[in-house]
Every structure is written in C-alpha cells, then in structure tokens.
Amino acid sequence: MAQRILLHMTAPLREDFDISYHDIGEGFGPPRMALVAGLHGNELNGVFVLSRLAAFLTGVTRGLQPGLQLCHRVVIIPAVNILGLNTCQRHWPFDNTDINRMFPGYAAGETTQRIAHAVLEVTGPAQYRIDLHSAHLDFEELSHVRLYDPNEPERDLSRLFGLPAVIERRTNSVFTTTIGHAWKTYGGANFVLRAGYAGNLQLSHCERLFQALVAFLQRTGILLGPPVSQEPEEDVHYFTVGQTTRLVADLAGLFISNLEVGRWVQAGDRIGHVYDGFDGEQRAEIKTPVSGLLSGIRRQPLLFEGDLIARIQTR
Ligand SMILES: [Zn+2]
C-alpha cells in the first residue's frame, strides 16, 4: 500500500499543502474500485469511514486480517476538501467554491478546478466508483445508496451494499458539474452513499457504511475470505423515482421529534410536533400522509414555513 499525493498546492502566506490518497493492493492495471469522501469539508462521516477502510485494507495486505485477501487495487481519497475539513466548512475556504460543482475540472485552472481534475484522473479509470456524502447540517438521512439515472448493472450492484434502502433520483439538469456527472462519461458503475448529517460524526451511521463497503468489496470479489460482518442481513428496499414523499412545513415554530431514521411509518402516524418558541404552546402535530420508510428527518428545531420536515419512501 502506498500513500500518494493527489495534488500539491502552494498558498500565499502559509506552507504548501497536499491532498493525499491511498493506493492499496497489487496490480499494474487500473484500480478496481475508487472511493471519495470529503468533497464537502463538513461531512465527517464519509471521511472517518474511508480513513478506517484504508486502515483496514492496509491491514489485510499486511496479513493482519487472517483469512482475508485483497485481490485488486483500491484507491481511497478520504478527504478531498482538505482545507475545509480543518475548519468544518462545506466549501473550499479560499474562494468559497463547492468542489462538487467544479467537475470535470481543469489541470491549468484555479485551485478547485485543479482539485476536481486530479480527483478524476485517479478515480476515472476504476471499474466501481463510490462518493460518500451526508445530508446538510439541519437534516439527518438514513444510511442508503443513492443512484442517479442508473443503468441496470448499477441497479443490481447497488443491492450488494446491504444497506436498507436504495433510492433512485433523476440527475439534476442544472448541476451538471458534479463528480457523479463526470464519472458517467467513464462508464463502469457509480454509486453515492449518503448517511447522517454534516457538521458532526454519527458513529452508528459510520459503522453501517463501513460494513456496507466491506460487504460490497467481498461480494464483488475484490476482497476474498469469510464474511467480515457477523451482523444479520437486513432486507434491501429499492425505491425508484416518484417513490419519495416530502413533508414540508406550512407553519413556523420549534420542530421537535424523537423519531429515528430508518423506521417504517403508517399514514397518519405522528412525525413530530411544532411548538411556539415563546409560550410553549403546541401549534401543530405533524402527521405523515403516506405509509413508508422514514429516510430523512429534520434535526434543526428552528422551523420556517416551507422548510423540509421529513422524507418518506413509499412502496
Ligand atoms: Zn456532500
């Protein structure tokens, strides 16, 4: 295994800095799998999971995991927005750009264009590519696979993660400068894994993602050996476009809920309450109009009219 430099950068009034990545396993051809996290510098779950995965796979190559064998090259970039991560900022601090709006990038361009270009150079040749994200600061998402305009092989492969939900979305016709759009031009199979919320680290989501990635590595034959996870398998539920219902606030107040993401709700079930922040009076009881899987819920209590309260995946 090797730690390699993705990009070396200089800055006007500080020492140089690098974005590094792991190149793990044998082989001269292209990597079989490429994993990316931390395009957004405040999404810590993916960064932690990929750094742990790199340590785990490195341990495999050194014989520290008896019975396991890594058969193909895997490249892992745990922290793309290296400066944003130091200050828990989503965007690149120097110019406040979103690195996931800079693809395919440009080798001779501005800093974030060069970062995007370098990320593509390393990840593009891989057969399987995975980009990890969290929801924003105010909203928690279930650990799940997100597919954008997938092909049939991607639909089939997405089940190998063993995560409780695979959710299809249409590609955004406005934001065509994401890594996902850029990866599509290379072929292969592309996945987004999303879990938890930004600004902090949720260990239960991290554990889930780690198990999912190891399961995928094993089921695609990249990692050989007895199953690493001893956890019982959960059913995978597949939701296509049109099977997502959004609950949006029609009044303001303090939104309070103790529901966990990943639970099944029935139409008419309570999702939470909205209270008046001054006199504490209950202003509304928020109920779901549909039955389904609660795939996301608001964690920020300050609620304005029009804010997203929850997402429910319907059957
Ligand atoms: Zn993100």
Side-chain angles (χ1 to χ4, degrees):
M1 112 105 183
Q3 181 180 334
R4 300 189 194 282
I5 306 298
L6 184 82
L7 192 64
H8 176 83
M9 285 169 283
T10 55
L13 284 169
R14 53 154 289 166
E15 63 277 19
D16 297 358
F17 56 94
D18 298 322
I19 299 175
S20 301
Y21 71 98
H22 302 274
D23 191 334
I24 311 172
E26 302 292 325
F28 296 100
R32 184 60 60 94
M33 184 189 280
L35 301 110
V36 174
L39 282 173
H40 295 134
N42 63 351
E43 296 176 7
L44 306 182
N45 287 336
V47 174
F48 183 58
V49 168
L50 287 198
S51 63
R52 297 298 305 151
L53 186 70
F56 173 76
L57 293 179
T58 301
V60 170
T61 62
R62 290 179 181 160
L64 302 176
Q65 303 285 343
L68 293 181
Q69 188 191 350
L70 187 65
C71 298
H72 298 278
R73 268 178 71 210
V74 175
V75 296
I76 300 179
I77 315 174
V80 176
N81 185 355
I82 194 82
L83 289 192
L85 271 153
N86 279 288
T87 49
C88 204
Q89 275 179 269
R90 177 181 173 88
H91 293 159
W92 183 253
F94 287 162
D95 56 7
N96 201 31
T97 48
D98 184 337
I99 298 176
N100 205 22
R101 299 286 180 271
M102 303 309 286
F103 288 87
Y106 177 42
E110 294 185 22
T111 308
T112 46
Q113 291 176 311
R114 285 191 289 131
I115 292 172
H117 179 265
V119 169
L120 268 195
E121 286 235 302
V122 166
T123 59
Q127 181 178 346
Y128 305 115
R129 307 179 200 90
I130 302 173
D131 178 25
L132 281 76
H133 287 269
S134 302
H136 56 72
L137 291 163
D138 297 347
F139 198 81
E140 180 181 6
E141 282 182 3
L142 170 72
S143 302
H144 70 277
V145 186
R146 181 80 65 85
L147 298 177
Y148 292 92
D149 292 341
N151 54 35
E152 273 315 310
E154 286 171 331
R155 288 191 176 106
D156 292 340
L157 287 162
S158 66
R159 295 175 175 272
L160 302 185
F161 292 99
L163 286 169
V166 178
I167 300 174
E168 265 190 37
R169 289 282 182 87
R170 293 220 167 80
T171 38
N172 192 315
S173 55
V174 179
F175 299 126
T176 55
T177 50
T178 64
I179 191 171
H181 260 90
W183 275 348
K184 274 188 186 295
T185 64
Y186 287 83
N190 304 302
F191 308 95
V192 174
L193 299 191
R194 297 182 61 92
Y197 51 93
N200 210 318
L201 193 146
Q202 301 91 48
L203 272 182
S204 59
H205 285 300
C206 292
E207 181 64 26
R208 205 68 179 276
L209 286 182
F210 183 85
Q211 298 295 344
L213 291 171
V214 172
F216 189 89
L217 284 162
Q218 294 203 285
R219 289 164 180 167
T220 50
I222 297 171
L223 182 64
L224 293 187
V228 172
S229 174
Q230 303 301 322
E231 300 288 318
E233 272 288 289
E234 261 193 288
D235 290 343
V236 178
H237 300 277
Y238 199 101
F239 302 97
T240 59
V241 174
Q243 288 183 293
T244 302
T245 296
R246 301 169 84 248
L247 260 65
V248 174
D250 56 10
L251 79 173
L254 293 180
F255 173 72
I256 308 294
S257 173
N258 59 6
L259 283 195
E260 299 290 328
V261 290
R263 66 172 289 168
W264 291 85
V265 293
Q266 299 297 322
D269 281 358
R270 185 198 308 137
I271 298 296
H273 290 109
V274 179
Y275 291 93
D276 185 294
F278 179 67
D279 61 24
E281 287 292 324
Q282 184 182 308
R283 285 188 179 173
E285 186 178 27
I286 307 295
K287 292 181 175 176
T288 169
V290 294
S291 302
L293 178 69
L294 185 70
S295 63
I297 190 157
R298 187 176 187 81
R299 290 298 180 216
Q300 165 61 256
L302 295 172
L303 184 73
F304 290 84
E305 194 180 331
D307 279 346
L308 180 63
I309 290 178
R311 271 196 217 109
I312 292 156
Q313 308 306 134
T314 55
R315 304 310 306 274

